[in-house]
Short mmCIF file of all heavy atoms in Angstrom, two decimals:
data_model
loop_
_atom_site.label_atom_id
_atom_site.label_comp_id
_atom_site.label_asym_id
_atom_site.label_seq_id
_atom_site.Cartn_x
_atom_site.Cartn_y
_atom_site.Cartn_z
N SER I 143 125.12 105.79 116.32
CA SER I 143 124.83 104.36 116.21
C SER I 143 125.61 103.58 117.26
O SER I 143 125.13 102.56 117.76
CB SER I 143 125.12 103.84 114.81
OG SER I 143 126.41 104.18 114.42
N VAL I 147 124.17 100.83 119.91
CA VAL I 147 124.67 99.47 120.13
C VAL I 147 124.91 99.24 121.61
O VAL I 147 124.74 98.15 122.13
CB VAL I 147 125.97 99.23 119.33
CG1 VAL I 147 126.59 97.90 119.70
CG2 VAL I 147 125.69 99.27 117.85
N ALA I 160 130.96 94.04 121.10
CA ALA I 160 130.52 94.46 119.77
C ALA I 160 130.73 95.95 119.59
O ALA I 160 131.18 96.40 118.54
CB ALA I 160 129.04 94.12 119.57
N GLN I 162 132.93 97.80 121.06
CA GLN I 162 134.38 98.06 120.92
C GLN I 162 134.83 97.85 119.49
O GLN I 162 135.49 98.70 118.88
CB GLN I 162 135.15 97.08 121.80
CG GLN I 162 135.66 97.68 123.06
CD GLN I 162 136.39 96.63 123.88
OE1 GLN I 162 136.16 95.43 123.74
NE2 GLN I 162 137.26 97.08 124.72
N TRP I 163 134.46 96.66 118.93
CA TRP I 163 134.85 96.37 117.56
C TRP I 163 134.30 97.44 116.63
O TRP I 163 135.00 97.94 115.74
CB TRP I 163 134.32 95.01 117.14
CG TRP I 163 135.14 93.85 117.54
CD1 TRP I 163 135.09 93.17 118.73
CD2 TRP I 163 136.17 93.22 116.78
NE1 TRP I 163 136.00 92.17 118.75
CE2 TRP I 163 136.68 92.17 117.56
CE3 TRP I 163 136.70 93.44 115.52
CZ2 TRP I 163 137.71 91.34 117.11
CZ3 TRP I 163 137.71 92.61 115.07
CH2 TRP I 163 138.20 91.58 115.87
N TYR I 164 133.04 97.79 116.84
CA TYR I 164 132.40 98.76 115.96
C TYR I 164 133.10 100.11 116.04
O TYR I 164 133.41 100.73 115.02
CB TYR I 164 130.92 98.89 116.33
CG TYR I 164 130.14 99.86 115.50
CD1 TYR I 164 130.40 100.01 114.14
CD2 TYR I 164 129.14 100.65 116.06
CE1 TYR I 164 129.69 100.91 113.38
CE2 TYR I 164 128.43 101.54 115.30
CZ TYR I 164 128.70 101.67 113.96
OH TYR I 164 127.98 102.55 113.22
N ALA I 165 133.39 100.54 117.27
CA ALA I 165 134.01 101.86 117.44
C ALA I 165 135.35 101.92 116.72
O ALA I 165 135.63 102.85 115.96
CB ALA I 165 134.17 102.16 118.93
N MET I 167 136.61 99.95 114.32
CA MET I 167 136.59 99.77 112.87
C MET I 167 135.94 100.94 112.16
O MET I 167 136.37 101.32 111.06
CB MET I 167 135.92 98.46 112.50
CG MET I 167 136.79 97.29 112.90
SD MET I 167 136.30 95.77 112.10
CE MET I 167 136.76 96.13 110.42
N THR I 168 134.92 101.53 112.75
CA THR I 168 134.30 102.64 112.03
C THR I 168 135.23 103.83 112.02
O THR I 168 135.25 104.60 111.05
CB THR I 168 132.92 102.98 112.63
OG1 THR I 168 132.20 103.76 111.70
CG2 THR I 168 133.01 103.72 113.92
N GLY I 218 133.74 100.79 102.03
CA GLY I 218 133.42 99.36 101.98
C GLY I 218 133.27 98.78 103.36
O GLY I 218 132.41 97.93 103.61
N SER I 219 134.08 99.27 104.29
CA SER I 219 133.95 98.80 105.65
C SER I 219 132.59 99.16 106.22
O SER I 219 131.94 98.35 106.88
CB SER I 219 135.06 99.41 106.52
OG SER I 219 134.74 99.25 107.85
N LYS I 220 132.14 100.38 105.92
CA LYS I 220 130.82 100.78 106.41
C LYS I 220 129.73 99.94 105.75
O LYS I 220 128.71 99.63 106.35
CB LYS I 220 130.59 102.27 106.11
CG LYS I 220 129.27 102.80 106.55
CD LYS I 220 129.08 102.73 108.04
CE LYS I 220 129.87 103.75 108.77
NZ LYS I 220 129.63 103.70 110.21
N ALA I 221 129.94 99.59 104.50
CA ALA I 221 128.92 98.81 103.80
C ALA I 221 128.97 97.34 104.17
O ALA I 221 128.08 96.58 103.81
CB ALA I 221 129.09 98.96 102.28
N GLY I 222 130.00 96.92 104.83
CA GLY I 222 130.06 95.51 105.22
C GLY I 222 130.72 94.63 104.19
O GLY I 222 130.43 93.44 104.11
N ALA I 223 131.62 95.21 103.38
CA ALA I 223 132.30 94.39 102.38
C ALA I 223 133.39 93.58 103.05
O ALA I 223 134.13 94.08 103.88
CB ALA I 223 132.91 95.30 101.31
N PHE I 226 136.42 93.75 105.37
CA PHE I 226 136.32 94.80 106.38
C PHE I 226 135.00 94.72 107.15
O PHE I 226 134.56 95.71 107.73
CB PHE I 226 136.40 96.18 105.74
CG PHE I 226 137.54 96.30 104.77
CD1 PHE I 226 137.30 96.51 103.42
CD2 PHE I 226 138.85 96.20 105.20
CE1 PHE I 226 138.35 96.61 102.53
CE2 PHE I 226 139.89 96.31 104.31
CZ PHE I 226 139.64 96.51 102.98
N HIS I 227 134.38 93.56 107.12
CA HIS I 227 132.99 93.47 107.57
C HIS I 227 132.88 93.01 109.01
O HIS I 227 131.79 92.87 109.52
CB HIS I 227 132.29 92.40 106.73
CG HIS I 227 132.81 91.05 107.05
ND1 HIS I 227 134.05 90.62 106.66
CD2 HIS I 227 132.29 90.06 107.79
CE1 HIS I 227 134.26 89.41 107.14
NE2 HIS I 227 133.20 89.05 107.83
N VAL I 228 134.00 92.73 109.66
CA VAL I 228 133.97 91.95 110.90
C VAL I 228 133.09 92.57 111.97
O VAL I 228 132.51 91.88 112.80
CB VAL I 228 135.41 91.76 111.42
CG1 VAL I 228 135.41 90.94 112.67
CG2 VAL I 228 136.25 91.08 110.37
N TRP I 229 132.97 93.89 111.96
CA TRP I 229 132.14 94.55 112.98
C TRP I 229 130.67 94.32 112.77
O TRP I 229 129.87 94.38 113.72
CB TRP I 229 132.42 96.05 112.97
CG TRP I 229 132.03 96.67 111.66
CD1 TRP I 229 132.78 96.76 110.54
CD2 TRP I 229 130.77 97.26 111.35
NE1 TRP I 229 132.07 97.36 109.54
CE2 TRP I 229 130.84 97.69 110.01
CE3 TRP I 229 129.59 97.47 112.06
CZ2 TRP I 229 129.77 98.30 109.37
CZ3 TRP I 229 128.54 98.09 111.42
CH2 TRP I 229 128.63 98.51 110.08
N LEU I 230 130.29 94.07 111.51
CA LEU I 230 128.87 94.08 111.15
C LEU I 230 128.06 93.00 111.85
O LEU I 230 127.04 93.29 112.46
CB LEU I 230 128.74 93.99 109.63
CG LEU I 230 127.47 94.54 109.00
CD1 LEU I 230 127.79 95.05 107.61
CD2 LEU I 230 126.40 93.51 108.91
N PRO I 231 128.48 91.72 111.81
CA PRO I 231 127.65 90.72 112.50
C PRO I 231 127.56 90.99 113.99
O PRO I 231 126.53 90.73 114.60
CB PRO I 231 128.38 89.40 112.24
CG PRO I 231 129.31 89.66 111.14
CD PRO I 231 129.64 91.09 111.15
N LYS I 232 128.65 91.54 114.57
CA LYS I 232 128.59 91.78 116.01
C LYS I 232 127.64 92.92 116.32
O LYS I 232 126.73 92.80 117.13
CB LYS I 232 129.99 92.13 116.52
CG LYS I 232 131.00 91.00 116.41
CD LYS I 232 132.34 91.51 116.89
CE LYS I 232 133.47 90.65 116.40
NZ LYS I 232 133.57 89.40 117.15
N ALA I 233 127.87 94.08 115.66
CA ALA I 233 127.11 95.28 116.03
C ALA I 233 125.64 95.14 115.66
O ALA I 233 124.75 95.49 116.43
CB ALA I 233 127.72 96.50 115.36
N HIS I 234 125.36 94.65 114.45
CA HIS I 234 123.96 94.56 114.03
C HIS I 234 123.19 93.55 114.85
O HIS I 234 121.99 93.65 115.00
CB HIS I 234 123.87 94.19 112.55
CG HIS I 234 124.27 95.32 111.65
ND1 HIS I 234 123.62 95.60 110.48
CD2 HIS I 234 125.24 96.24 111.75
CE1 HIS I 234 124.18 96.65 109.90
NE2 HIS I 234 125.17 97.05 110.66
N ALA I 235 123.90 92.53 115.36
CA ALA I 235 123.21 91.54 116.16
C ALA I 235 122.93 92.06 117.56
O ALA I 235 121.90 91.75 118.14
CB ALA I 235 124.02 90.25 116.21
N MET I 245 120.41 100.46 111.02
CA MET I 245 121.81 100.28 110.62
C MET I 245 121.91 99.47 109.35
O MET I 245 122.62 99.81 108.42
CB MET I 245 122.58 99.59 111.75
CG MET I 245 122.87 100.50 112.92
SD MET I 245 123.47 99.61 114.37
CE MET I 245 125.14 99.29 113.91
N MET I 249 122.11 102.62 107.06
CA MET I 249 123.49 103.06 107.20
C MET I 249 124.43 102.39 106.20
O MET I 249 125.32 103.04 105.66
CB MET I 249 123.99 102.82 108.62
CG MET I 249 125.30 103.50 108.90
SD MET I 249 125.79 103.36 110.60
CE MET I 249 126.26 101.64 110.66
N VAL I 250 124.24 101.11 105.95
CA VAL I 250 125.18 100.43 105.06
C VAL I 250 125.04 100.99 103.64
O VAL I 250 126.01 100.97 102.87
CB VAL I 250 124.98 98.90 105.06
CG1 VAL I 250 125.33 98.32 106.40
CG2 VAL I 250 123.60 98.53 104.64
N ALA I 302 122.56 89.83 109.63
CA ALA I 302 123.69 90.73 109.41
C ALA I 302 124.60 90.20 108.31
O ALA I 302 125.04 90.95 107.43
CB ALA I 302 124.47 90.90 110.71
N ASP I 625 133.79 83.70 112.59
CA ASP I 625 134.14 84.30 111.32
C ASP I 625 135.59 83.97 110.94
O ASP I 625 136.51 84.22 111.71
CB ASP I 625 133.97 85.82 111.47
CG ASP I 625 133.84 86.49 110.15
OD1 ASP I 625 134.77 86.41 109.36
OD2 ASP I 625 132.79 87.10 109.93
N GLU I 628 137.88 87.01 110.75
CA GLU I 628 138.22 87.52 112.07
C GLU I 628 139.29 86.66 112.71
O GLU I 628 140.26 87.15 113.28
CB GLU I 628 136.95 87.52 112.93
CG GLU I 628 137.17 88.06 114.32
CD GLU I 628 135.93 87.92 115.17
OE1 GLU I 628 134.82 87.99 114.60
OE2 GLU I 628 136.05 87.71 116.37
N TYR I 632 142.21 89.23 111.68
CA TYR I 632 142.13 90.28 112.69
C TYR I 632 142.75 89.86 114.01
O TYR I 632 143.46 90.65 114.63
CB TYR I 632 140.66 90.69 112.90
CG TYR I 632 140.13 91.53 111.79
CD1 TYR I 632 139.72 90.95 110.61
CD2 TYR I 632 140.06 92.90 111.91
CE1 TYR I 632 139.25 91.72 109.58
CE2 TYR I 632 139.58 93.69 110.88
CZ TYR I 632 139.17 93.08 109.72
OH TYR I 632 138.71 93.85 108.70
#
Side-chain angles (χ1 to χ4, degrees):
Chain I
S143 52
V147 172
Q162 257 179 337
W163 277 87
Y164 180 36
M167 289 197 69
T168 197
S219 164
K220 180 63 74 178
F226 312 115
H227 69 287
V228 181
W229 63 274
L230 205 150
K232 295 177 199 283
H234 288 220
M245 286 168 77
M249 191 174 72
V250 294
D625 200 299
E628 181 185 328
Y632 286 80

